[in-house]
Amino acid sequence: MSWLHDALRRLPGPDSDAAGSVRARADDILRPRGALARLDDVAVHMAAWQRTAAPRVARPAALVFAGDHGVAEQGGVSAYPTEVTAAMLAACRQGKATICALARSVGATLDTVDVGVGRPTADIRYEAAMTAERFDAVVAEAVAAVDALDTDLLVLGEIGIGNTTAAAALAGALLGGDASTWVGRGTGIDDDGLDRKRAAVAAVMERSSGLSDPIEIMRHAGGAELTAMAAATVAARLRSIAVVLDGYVVTSAVLPLHVAAPGALDHCIVGHCSSEPGHRRVLERIGKPVLLDLGMRLGEGSGAMVAVPIVRAACDAVVEVATFTEWFGRRPG
């Protein structure tokens, strides 16, 4: 936990000169001013974090973290048994999962990191998800995974039966409100399962109500793969790597960073908004727009990966297009 606390105090900022240069180029680009305004914003964002006036996406990479949850084993909060986590991890490692196909389609590398498959966290209804020692070990593993990458854009994803319960519990514990507003059907639970899921999230919110440190709340209410994604996000920031966030689980995982240190997610882009009702509420809190809204609810980093070509196109549409000044010697008007 000390690594995250320390890292959040020394986060590098963006390169304002590079961002300003790309903004000026976008304003002079050979098309009507503002015609691709949202894409121009993405290009400026990438310039700021790649620290160059010629941003590009040439080496996208994905890290998918996997872990099991005690609340899923004991609480009846998922439509699938926890053994499915291991099966999905195996499919991913054999190139047969959806995220594998999507990564191939955009030319991204894909690495999976097992931070708890077959080693579930504690049942968060009754006790902290992880001990401080296990929390620190997960953080270290995630940081090492990011440090091993050669990438100019990082996609984060997860595999873990029951992790929408952990995501809802974490968001609720951090932001408060009625537990039911954070809970959706996840993998497709029935009404009885939805009631159990709501009750589980309410129990976590009650148990965590006396905690004030967002990182400690993450240790209590989250899970191994959620913690890993939060740590990976910070590790990427330290290397000035832009991150594309996936759905509800990923966004909830990084929420403690935003609460602990506003601005900690400035290097992040939100790839999409999922169909989970709590996702929009978390996005409103972190104040980030989304690139896609397709009602996706798969996880694995799939929605974020689908957004990678948009980020690449945004950069190309500024860097590889002539400006009015270059083409005519001046901007008309």
Side-chain angles (χ1 to χ4, degrees):
M1 294 174 66
S2 60
W3 186 91
L4 273 178
H5 284 117
D6 174 67
L8 287 172
R9 288 191 290 265
R10 54 186 177 90
L11 297 176
D15 185 330
S16 57
D17 290 338
S21 178
V22 171
R23 175 62 70 192
R25 184 176 182 85
D27 288 344
D28 191 37
I29 211 79
L30 198 60
R31 55 179 174 258
R33 189 186 296 272
L36 299 181
R38 181 70 182 94
L39 291 182
D40 291 344
D41 289 344
V42 172
V44 171
H45 175 94
M46 293 297 292
W49 293 104
Q50 290 188 352
R51 304 185 182 281
T52 176
R56 61 199 297 256
V57 178
R59 305 182 312 280
L63 285 176
V64 177
F65 296 94
D68 280 322
H69 295 260
V71 70
E73 285 197 334
Q74 307 295 329
V77 297
S78 176
Y80 294 93
T82 55
E83 291 80 4
V84 171
T85 303
M88 288 306 303
L89 177 60
C92 196
R93 288 180 166 173
Q94 294 174 35
K96 300 299 184 181
T98 300
I99 186 60
C100 304
L102 295 175
R104 287 191 293 268
S105 75
V106 305
T109 63
L110 172 63
D111 291 293
T112 58
V113 184
D114 178 356
V115 291
V117 178
R119 296 168 285 128
T121 52
D123 190 335
I124 56 176
R125 294 175 297 175
Y126 309 115
E127 56 184 315
M130 290 180 286
T131 64
E133 292 76 16
R134 182 173 181 186
F135 184 95
D136 287 345
V138 168
V139 167
E141 193 166 2
V143 172
V146 173
D147 287 347
L149 293 175
D150 175 21
T151 183
D152 49 25
L153 184 66
L154 177 60
V155 167
L156 293 177
E158 40 64 36
I159 298 171
I161 294 299
N163 63 15
T164 58
T165 300
L170 182 54
L174 287 164
L175 302 182
D178 189 279
S180 64
T181 64
W182 299 109
V183 178
R185 292 188 182 271
T187 51
I189 53 176
D190 59 19
D191 288 345
D192 289 341
L194 186 61
D195 288 341
R196 290 191 294 270
K197 190 173 181 179
R198 288 170 174 162
V201 170
V204 178
M205 291 174 64
E206 174 63 25
R207 189 178 56 74
S208 304
S209 60
L211 302 175
S212 58
D213 177 7
I215 306 304
E216 178 70 358
I217 291 172
M218 179 163 56
R219 181 176 76 84
H220 274 256
E225 77 274 35
L226 278 76
T227 296
M229 291 186 292
T233 300
V234 175
R237 174 68 170 266
L238 295 178
R239 290 185 56 195
S240 203
I241 298 171
V243 173
V244 186
L245 302 176
D246 196 46
Y248 189 29
V249 178
V250 179
T251 311
S252 293
V254 300
L255 177 62
L257 308 176
H258 172 78
V259 175
L265 304 181
D266 284 354
H267 62 306
C268 297
I269 297 169
V270 180
H272 79 118
C273 184
S274 75
S275 61
E276 283 288 303
H279 193 196
R280 291 187 188 277
R281 298 190 65 197
V282 175
L283 291 174
E284 289 171 3
R285 176 58 183 264
I286 67 176
K288 286 189 172 293
V290 303
L291 292 181
L292 296 167
D293 193 346
L294 301 175
M296 300 173 69
R297 57 183 183 89
L298 174 60
E300 301 178 10
S302 54
M305 190 63 76
V306 170
V308 166
I310 296 176
V311 180
R312 176 184 284 137
C315 294
D316 292 347
V318 172
V319 173
E320 298 184 9
V321 177
T323 65
F324 277 98
T325 300
E326 291 167 346
W327 203 248
F328 294 107
R330 64 181 179 83
R331 186 176 184 94

